[in-house]
Amino acid sequence: EVRLVESGGGLVQPGGSLRLSCAASGFTFNRYWMYWVRQAPGEGLVWVSRINPDGSNTNYADSVNGRFTISRDNAKSTLYLQMNSLRAEDTAVYYCSKDLTWGAMDVWGQGTTVTVSS
Amino acid sequence: QSALTQPASVSGSPGQSITISCTGTSSDVGGHNHVSWYQQHPGKAPQLMIYEVSNRPSGVPDRFSGSKSGNTASLTISGLQAEDEADYYCNTYTTRSPVVFGGGTKLTVL
């Protein structure tokens, strides 16, 4: 079964840091682009970041550029999102997803909730 | 504000057909065929329903179809069923930002 399982979310104070993980199984992880997408409470989906199969190419949304870092460990089939200098507006459910082709995301995790509040 | 414009809501009765639009520009939706559609039920992860404008992943009912004309892509659901009530999002690949989503459309089955 193809599966993505996120972990690492929680409550953090403004200015704090958090590292999200996404464990992949059921497919050849090192062959695919991977994404992080977030959804603030009551809001729509927003793309956050993406990384190419070997980890050498990354992209970020303007809103997180310079604060978030995406990475992957292909030996462990795991995707990461290091989030620093967190703000209240980063509060959201964070999903990891797998690329099918050109931005189409065919596999999604269940999401992990990040709450930034004092 | 989303780069792709979707209606906030649409509705239809069981058995009817509805269409959700997704409008971009010639630099994204109008410039290639990399448009996808997702269904999201409350509290659940999104599910890919259509990719590359009109392709259905395995397991998606053929009641769901996609098309594109100019800068606007569309998702059509025919034979509407109660379980189709959900939020729907389009996304596309762009040169400015690799991926952008529409604002989402809430489908209500009356």
Side-chain angles (χ1 to χ4, degrees):
Chain A
E1 178 190 7
V2 176
R3 199 174 179 210
L4 296 172
V5 179
E6 301 97 335
S7 60
L11 174 64
V12 61
Q13 292 187 339
S17 298
L18 215 52
R19 188 197 198 200
L20 306 183
S21 299
C22 169
S25 59
F27 65 98
T28 307
F29 181 72
N30 62 13
R31 292 179 58 183
Y32 295 94
W33 286 81
M34 297 293 294
Y35 300 90
W36 287 100
V37 175
R38 70 184 182 185
Q39 186 170 34
E43 301 295 323
L45 301 173
V46 176
W47 169 76
V48 172
S49 182
R50 72 168 185 170
I51 188 168
N52 71 335
D54 68 8
S56 63
N57 187 355
T58 60
N59 303 98
Y60 301 92
D62 290 345
S63 59
V64 307
N65 196 23
R67 300 187 298 123
F68 290 12
T69 302
I70 190 172
S71 63
R72 64 194 297 161
D73 185 336
N74 285 341
K76 296 182 178 180
S77 295
T78 301
L79 177 72
Y80 302 101
L81 186 67
Q82 176 67 44
M83 304 186 297
N84 298 331
S85 303
L86 283 162
R87 307 166 179 168
E89 54 265 35
D90 296 319
T91 294
V93 175
Y94 285 74
Y95 296 99
C96 64
S97 62
K98 167 188 167 290
D99 184 71
L100 172 64
T101 179
W102 289 97
M105 305 171 193
D106 65 335
V107 182
W108 294 69
Q110 84 287 355
T112 187
T113 300
V114 172
T115 303
V116 184
S117 175
S118 55
Chain B
Q1 188 168 347
S2 303
L4 303 180
T5 301
Q6 297 182 233
S9 63
V10 298
S11 62
S13 299
Q16 288 185 332
S17 294
I18 63 95
T19 296
I20 299 172
S21 61
C22 172
T23 301
T25 69
S26 58
S27 297
D28 42 63
V29 173
H32 53 65
N33 287 330
H34 308 311
V35 178
S36 305
W37 290 92
Y38 303 83
Q39 177 191 68
Q40 187 181 34
H41 288 109
K44 301 295 187 181
Q47 177 187 351
L48 179 66
M49 306 303 283
I50 296 288
Y51 67 98
E52 297 295 277
V53 172
S54 60
N55 294 298
R56 274 188 314 275
S58 174
V60 173
D62 59 7
R63 302 185 294 103
F64 291 83
S65 62
S67 62
K68 190 185 80 166
S69 177
N71 298 335
T72 298
S74 298
L75 172 71
T76 297
I77 309 174
S78 58
L80 207 56
Q81 299 182 3
E83 61 259 35
D84 298 333
E85 183 163 295
D87 294 325
Y88 291 84
Y89 296 89
C90 61
N91 88 339
T92 190
Y93 180 88
T94 78
T95 53
R96 179 182 175 279
S97 172
V99 174
V100 63
F101 285 92
T105 298
K106 181 178 179 60
L107 169 61
T108 301
V109 180
L110 302 171

